[in-house]
């Protein structure tokens, strides 16, 4: 029942974002084109639920030829491959907005484990693979618990916890916390996790 409601919420909120932010999409598209060479969108294949491969949509924030990334290593704000407008898009998370198209297509959800690069699958064991039992999300438990400041294995633990303890209430908490992350930055939430991984008990703070 909860997963069915989750899908309805995904569709409704994604349509609202798509319509309300359409003028912003147009402005961002123009800024991307006039500040750097290359396409407006960045598409990359990622593993989704049950390892199904799909193409994730993002506004392009890096110079052409910057697609090669180090597995498990996040791009930080000081990376010189990031374009001038890309710095703002990444900091504000606006570069992720096109993923509402993935949500509408049923490939992603608003909340869930973030989709990783296909190469990361080689390192998955049985425990980590549990993160693939739900659709990947535009935001997730790891993203509001420190994200790039977390060790990769800790991010996996948050993802698995989310899958094993999924609830609409937890989704709401993550969405609320995501707003805080966008406003104040990921570093403000390094030691303010929504859940206690060691005890397995859920926190009530947002």
């Amino acid at each position: 029942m909860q997963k069915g409601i989750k899908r309805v919420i995904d569709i409704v909120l994604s349509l609202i974002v798509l319509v309300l932010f359409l003028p912003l999409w147009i402005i961002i598209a123009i800024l991307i084109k006039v500040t750097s060479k290359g396409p407006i969108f960045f598409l990359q294949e990622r593993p989704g639920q049950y390892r199904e491969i799909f193409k994730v949509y993002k506004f392009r924030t890096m110079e052409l030829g910057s697609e090669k990334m180090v597995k498990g290593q996040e791009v930080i704000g000081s990376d010189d491959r990031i374009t001038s407008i890309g710095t703002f898009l990444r900091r504000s998370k606006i570069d992720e907005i096109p993923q509402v198209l993935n949500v509408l297509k049923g490939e992603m959800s608003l909340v869930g484990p973030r989709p990783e690069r296909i190469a990361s699958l080689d390192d998955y064991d049985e425990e980590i693979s549990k993160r693939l039992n739900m659709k990947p999300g535009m935001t997730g438990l790891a993203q509001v618990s420190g994200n790039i400041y977390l060790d990769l294995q800790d991010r996996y633990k948050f993802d698995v916890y989310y899958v094993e303890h999924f609830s609409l209430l937890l989704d709401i908490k993550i969405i609320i916390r995501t707003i805080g992350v966008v406003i104040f930055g990921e570093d403000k939430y390094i030691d303010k996790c929504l859940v206690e991984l060691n005890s397995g008990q859920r926190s009530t703070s947002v």
Side-chain angles (χ1 to χ4, degrees), residues 1-6 168:
M1 174 66 76
Q2 288 199 83
K3 289 185 178 180
I5 296 175
K6 177 182 176 71
L168 291 176

Side-chain angles (χ1 to χ4, degrees), residues 29-52:
I30 294 173
L31 291 174
I32 291 174
K33 292 301 290 185
V34 301
T35 57
S36 63
K37 295 180 180 179
I40 295 170
F41 296 103
F42 172 70
L43 278 68
Q44 189 175 59
E45 290 189 334
R46 299 287 177 95
Q49 187 176 27
Y50 308 131
R51 297 177 181 257
E52 274 194 35

Side-chain angles (χ1 to χ4, degrees), residues 92-104:
S92 62
K93 306 298 182 183
I94 291 177
D95 64 316
E96 309 281 358
I97 288 181
Q99 287 165 31
V100 296
L101 299 175
N102 293 116
V103 175
L104 289 172

Side-chain angles (χ1 to χ4, degrees), residues 1-157:
M1 174 66 76
Q2 288 199 83
K3 289 185 178 180
I5 296 175
K6 177 182 176 71
R7 179 58 185 155
V8 172
I9 294 174
D10 281 345
I11 293 173
V12 172
L13 292 185
S14 294
L15 286 173
I16 291 174
V17 170
L18 186 62
V19 174
L20 291 183
F21 286 83
L22 186 57
L24 179 62
W25 285 49
I26 296 173
I27 294 173
I28 291 172
I30 294 173
L31 291 174
I32 291 174
K33 292 301 290 185
V34 301
T35 57
S36 63
K37 295 180 180 179
I40 295 170
F41 296 103
F42 172 70
L43 278 68
Q44 189 175 59
E45 290 189 334
R46 299 287 177 95
Q49 187 176 27
Y50 308 131
R51 297 177 181 257
E52 274 194 35
I53 305 301
F54 71 101
K55 288 186 178 180
V56 66
Y57 301 101
K58 297 181 69 175
F59 282 121
R60 182 175 59 83
T61 60
M62 302 180 74
E63 301 287 353
L64 286 178
S66 302
E67 293 83 4
K68 186 174 178 58
M69 312 296 284
V70 178
K71 181 171 57 177
Q73 180 175 320
E74 297 291 333
V75 177
I76 59 176
S78 59
D79 196 309
D80 58 11
R81 296 172 298 176
I82 300 177
T83 63
S84 55
I85 185 64
T87 300
F88 167 72
L89 295 179
R90 297 176 75 92
R91 169 61 182 83
S92 62
K93 306 298 182 183
I94 291 177
D95 64 316
E96 309 281 358
I97 288 181
Q99 287 165 31
V100 296
L101 299 175
N102 293 116
V103 175
L104 289 172
K105 291 169 65 177
E107 298 164 334
M108 292 180 63
S109 176
L110 293 176
V111 180
R114 285 294 294 160
E116 291 197 309
R117 298 173 187 88
I118 295 176
S120 298
L121 294 176
D122 295 336
D123 298 330
Y124 281 23
D125 56 21
E126 184 176 352
E127 179 68 12
I128 298 174
S129 293
K130 292 178 181 178
R131 71 188 303 277
L132 300 173
N133 290 340
M134 289 190 72
K135 292 178 182 178
M138 291 181 64
T139 185
L141 187 56
Q143 283 61 53
V144 299
S145 302
N147 198 19
I148 63 174
Y149 299 97
L150 294 173
D151 176 84
L152 178 61
Q153 295 303 314
D154 285 336
R155 272 184 268 159
Y156 287 154
K157 289 177 182 177

